Amino acid sequence: MLRIMVTCGGGFSSSALVTHLNNDAKEKGFADEVEFVYKPFDFGGIGGLVNEVDIVMLCPHLAHNAKDLAAKYPNKPFYVIPTRLYGLMSAEDFYEDAQDAIAGWKETGMNPFHFEGEQTAIRVMRTVSHRKAMAKK
C-alpha cells in the first residue's frame, strides 16, 4: 500500500483534502492500494510521521519550505502539489502523481521532485495527473 502524506500549514485544508481523497479512493475501489494521511506542518512539524509514509506532498503555500524539508529528510521524496490541482484532483490523480514522483525521485535523486517544466507549482496549468496530461499530448 502506498502511503501519501499531505501537509499544509495548520492542517485545515489538508485534513479536508485527505478525507475527500480517502473517500474518493474507497468509492472508486482502490482504497486497498493507497492511504492518504495528513499532518499539520505548523503544529510540531511532520517529523513523527515522515518515516511512516512513502512520499510527502506539500500544499502549494509550503513550496518555500520544500528544499529545507528535503535536506532534513533526504531519504524521503517531497513534492509540491501544483496550485491548480490542489482542490481539483481526484484520488486517482494524486495517486498517479505520487507513483510517478517517487519513481522520478528514485531515478534522478531530485528532491523536492518536480516534473519537467513544472519547477514552480503556481505556474502548472494541468488539471489531471502528470501522467494523464502527457498522454493527451
Side-chain angles (χ1 to χ4, degrees):
M1 174 178 290
L2 187 70
R3 293 194 78 215
I4 302 168
M5 179 197 300
V6 178
T7 186
C8 71
F12 303 110
S13 64
S14 61
S15 64
L17 177 60
V18 162
T19 298
H20 162 74
L21 293 172
N22 282 319
N23 288 338
D24 190 34
K26 186 176 180 179
E27 288 172 14
K28 292 180 178 166
F30 63 95
D32 58 336
E33 298 174 32
V34 64
E35 179 185 17
F36 298 93
V37 297
Y38 79 93
K39 177 81 172 162
F41 182 78
D42 290 341
F43 301 108
I46 60 173
L49 192 55
V50 166
N51 292 324
E52 297 176 27
V53 298
D54 298 294
I55 186 170
V56 178
M57 297 180 112
L58 303 168
C59 295
H61 61 279
L62 293 179
H64 64 281
N65 299 97
K67 286 183 182 179
D68 290 340
L69 286 168
K72 186 173 181 178
Y73 304 101
N75 296 320
K76 192 65 56 182
F78 286 82
Y79 173 74
V80 178
I81 303 164
T83 306
R84 290 183 70 118
L85 299 169
Y86 184 68
L88 299 176
M89 281 176 66
S90 69
E92 181 180 25
D93 290 319
F94 262 81
Y95 185 32
E96 289 175 356
D97 267 6
Q99 291 172 319
D100 295 342
I102 292 168
W105 169 73
K106 286 179 179 177
E107 182 179 317
T108 66
M110 180 193 326
N111 207 9
F113 181 81
H114 62 79
F115 297 106
E116 186 176 338
E118 296 189 359
Q119 293 84 338
T120 307
I122 198 165
R123 293 187 178 150
V124 176
M125 294 299 170
R126 63 183 165 91
T127 57
V128 294
S129 70
H130 183 263
R131 182 185 305 177
K132 288 177 184 151
M134 292 298 99
K136 289 180 182 180
K137 287 187 174 187

